[in-house]
Each structure stands twice: as structure tokens, then as C-alpha cells.
Amino acid sequence: MNIQDKDPIIEAHDLTVTYNRKPALWSVDFLLPKHKLIGIIGPNGAGKSTLIKSIMGLVPLASGYVKIFNQDLDDVRSKISYVPQRGSVDWDFPASVLDVVLMGRYGKNKLFKRSNKKDREIAMQCLEKVQMLPFVNRQIAQLSGGQQQRVFIARALAQNADLYLLDEPFAGIDAASEDAIFRLLQDIRSEGKSIMVVHHDLQSAARFFDWILLLNTRLVAVGPKEKVFSENLLNETYGGKLTVLSDLGDIMKEQDMPARENK
Ligand SMILES: Nc1ncnc2c1ncn2[C@@H]1O[C@H](COP(=O)(O)OP(=O)(O)OP(=O)(O)O)[C@@H](O)[C@H]1O
Ligand SMILES: [Mg+2]
């Protein structure tokens, strides 16, 4: 056991989640280290959102447990910021962009609490970071999908959490903005935060993540990107259906990674 294993940000043991008796996650075990940008990678229906929800206590567990900062969820909830996958959120509620980001400052149950100057300053700074400051007074429903997504990332940043769980935060976001936000996430990682991101694009995954967790109902692999991002393991994750596998050689070369797993 190394030092990282002794002080994980998240520990999952024998995690099984079923919907109508069909497993979405099957006996998943892992330890994730602190202060990393971690990608959750796997095909549609692999259980990625279910994994994030099980960490957030939003789905009943058929077996197993999750510990966060070595504690139970209820003791650390305020230190966690969760951005659900688009489509699971009602984006049409009546609130301005500023209101939405301010929610990150007081928690969603206290929306109508009066904000103070400091809260508003922080909210504006977070909007600036995702380049949404010009839209501060716009209704959230009147933004494009990618713009809404950036506002929700700003809300998560405003929460100043220690652990961020982002479920496909880049859905609908253009490549330039995605790069900028990935760099932002790398910055907050360097400030000592831990970030888990469900993500689909292998190219940007290889560029930006420190660690990768490969999931397909079962855990396929978890570890530093250099170890996990291999043709064999990605093939196993995608059941050989990965059409972009042909590009993988280029990604590996670019990243200076071994094309095959070192056994
Ligand atoms: N509330 C639910 N009721 C029944 N089945 C569900 C429910 N939520 C998810 N599932 C099923 O569980 C499996 C895992 O779903 P999950 O949403 O975790 O996948 P995912 O990896 O996030 O996929 P995607 O990449 O499409 O977001 C899928 O087969 C899905 O159909
Ligand atoms: Mg999902």
C-alpha cells in the first residue's frame, strides 16, 4: 500500500447498483488519490452517471459502500460540488445567470437568501473564468446549451468545494471553450482540489486527465493515465466497438505513451 492508498479522496468497495434487478454497476472497487483530475471513461450505459450518483448517495446500493475523505457522505456533503448530466436537469426555471451561480454560494435550498457583496464578487469571478460574464443578467432559459453548461460549471466553481463531480460537463461545449475549461480544472487541481469528470472524448482525455477510470458495468481499470490508456484496456472497455481505436496510436504517440500495456 502506498501513501496515496492510505489517504484516498474516494474509496468504493464492492459497489453494486441495480435498476429493476439489472446491474448498472457490478462489484466496483477503487481508491482514488487526492489532488487529481480524474476521467471516468466508458460507453453509453456503462454506469458512469450511476457511479457519480452512488458517490452522491442518489441511488440505493445493492451492496458495498463509498467513503469520501475517509468519511460518510453526510459528514462531507458541503465539501462536494456535483454537476449532473445535461438532460437530468430542468434548464427552464426562471432565474438569472447570476442567481444560478449564487446558488453555488448558499446551496440550492436557500436561493432567496439575500446575497452579500462578497458572494456576488465571487459569482462574477467564476462567470469570468468560464467567459460568461457578459450574460450575467440574462435568464438561464435564454442561453444556448453550451452557454448554460458553462454557467453550471461557474456555479460549481463558486461553491469552492474540495471535490468536484462533473457528469459530462462539456456536452455541447465547443472545442476552444472545452480546452479553456479543462485548463481551468487543471488550475484548481493544482490549488489542491480533486475533480472527477465523466468524459467521452479520448483525445482530450489523454491530454488533460491525470488519472483514468475505465468502466463498463464492471471496473475495467483505474490508475494513472499512462498506465490505463492502453489499446487493450480501451478495447475491453468498449467491447471492441471503439471505432476511434485507429486514432489511438496517434494519441499515444502524441502523449508519449506505451501503445500496449506493460505486463
Ligand atoms: N433510473 C433508471 N431506471 C432504470 N434503468 C436505469 C436508470 N438509470 C440508468 N439506468 C440504466 O442503467 C445503465 C447505466 O446507466 P448510466 O446512466 O449510469 O450510464 P452512463 O454510463 O452514464 O451512460 P451515458 O454515457 O449514456 O450517459 C443503463 O443501462 C441505463 O439504461
Ligand atoms: Mg451518463
Side-chain angles (χ1 to χ4, degrees):
M1 192 182 261
N2 63 32
I3 290 165
Q4 281 177 340
D5 293 342
K6 279 191 207 145
D7 191 19
I9 186 98
I10 300 178
E11 174 188 359
H13 179 64
D14 188 29
L15 201 59
T16 297
V17 175
T18 59
Y19 298 112
N20 309 319
R21 283 193 239 144
K22 202 169 166 281
L25 283 180
W26 186 257
S27 195
V28 169
D29 279 282
F30 58 80
L31 289 168
L32 297 175
K34 281 184 179 157
H35 314 317
K36 300 277 187 237
L37 183 51
I38 301 169
I40 313 292
I41 309 277
N44 292 139
K48 303 180 298 297
S49 296
T50 302
L51 177 65
I52 301 276
K53 285 179 193 165
S54 65
I55 294 168
M56 287 303 293
L58 298 172
V59 286
L61 306 183
S63 76
Y65 66 83
V66 181
K67 292 256 179 203
I68 307 166
F69 308 107
N70 273 322
Q71 297 176 71
D72 291 330
L73 172 71
D74 285 340
D75 300 325
V76 293
R77 208 180 278 269
S78 63
K79 296 181 185 168
I80 308 172
S81 175
Y82 165 55
V83 178
Q85 187 168 5
R86 220 184 129 70
S88 59
V89 182
D90 175 10
W91 303 83
D92 281 334
F93 54 88
S96 73
V97 165
L98 182 62
D99 290 337
V100 170
V101 180
L102 282 171
M103 280 181 224
R105 299 299 302 156
Y106 5 100
K108 55 178 177 286
N109 299 326
K110 298 181 203 140
L111 174 57
F112 300 106
K113 190 189 115 177
R114 268 182 76 82
S115 57
N116 64 34
K117 193 161 170 258
K118 180 99 197 297
D119 288 328
R120 284 194 300 275
E121 265 169 31
I122 291 170
M124 305 284 254
Q125 283 163 9
C126 294
L127 281 168
E128 171 90 68
K129 286 180 182 167
V130 298
Q131 286 148 28
M132 285 299 290
L133 199 50
F135 300 87
V136 59
N137 293 317
R138 187 81 77 82
Q139 288 291 301
I140 189 83
Q142 294 167 349
L143 296 177
S144 75
Q147 290 169 337
Q148 288 176 335
Q149 197 70 17
R150 277 149 62 183
V151 171
F152 277 73
I153 293 168
R155 182 181 69 170
L157 296 175
Q159 207 176 324
N160 194 24
D162 291 325
L163 171 62
Y164 289 85
L165 303 172
L166 311 177
D167 195 344
E168 300 204 29
F170 303 116
I173 290 191
D174 64 73
S177 306
E178 179 178 315
D179 269 27
I181 293 167
F182 255 129
R183 272 186 234 109
L184 192 66
L185 296 180
Q186 286 182 322
D187 288 347
I188 68 170
R189 179 271 323 268
S190 301
E191 288 162 13
K193 314 288 187 181
S194 305
I195 309 148
M196 276 176 90
V197 183
V198 176
H199 192 58
H200 271 291
D201 179 55
L202 295 178
Q203 197 106 28
S204 48
R207 279 173 62 211
F208 291 109
F209 290 122
D210 307 314
W211 266 48
I212 302 262
L213 187 155
L214 295 176
L215 189 69
N216 194 345
T217 310
R218 294 164 190 271
L219 181 79
V220 176
V222 60
K225 154 181 86 178
E226 297 75 15
K227 283 202 177 141
V228 168
F229 228 70
S230 73
E231 191 177 331
N232 293 351
L233 291 174
L234 284 168
N235 247 323
E236 193 179 329
T237 309
Y238 287 87
K241 280 184 242 150
L242 193 61
T243 50
V244 294
L245 261 184
S246 53
D247 298 337
L248 197 62
D250 297 338
I251 299 177
M252 302 293 189
K253 233 180 273 158
E254 223 172 83
Q255 296 294 317
D256 202 17
M257 286 182 207
R260 300 213 168 260
E261 233 178 315
N262 294 322
K263 290 243 162 133

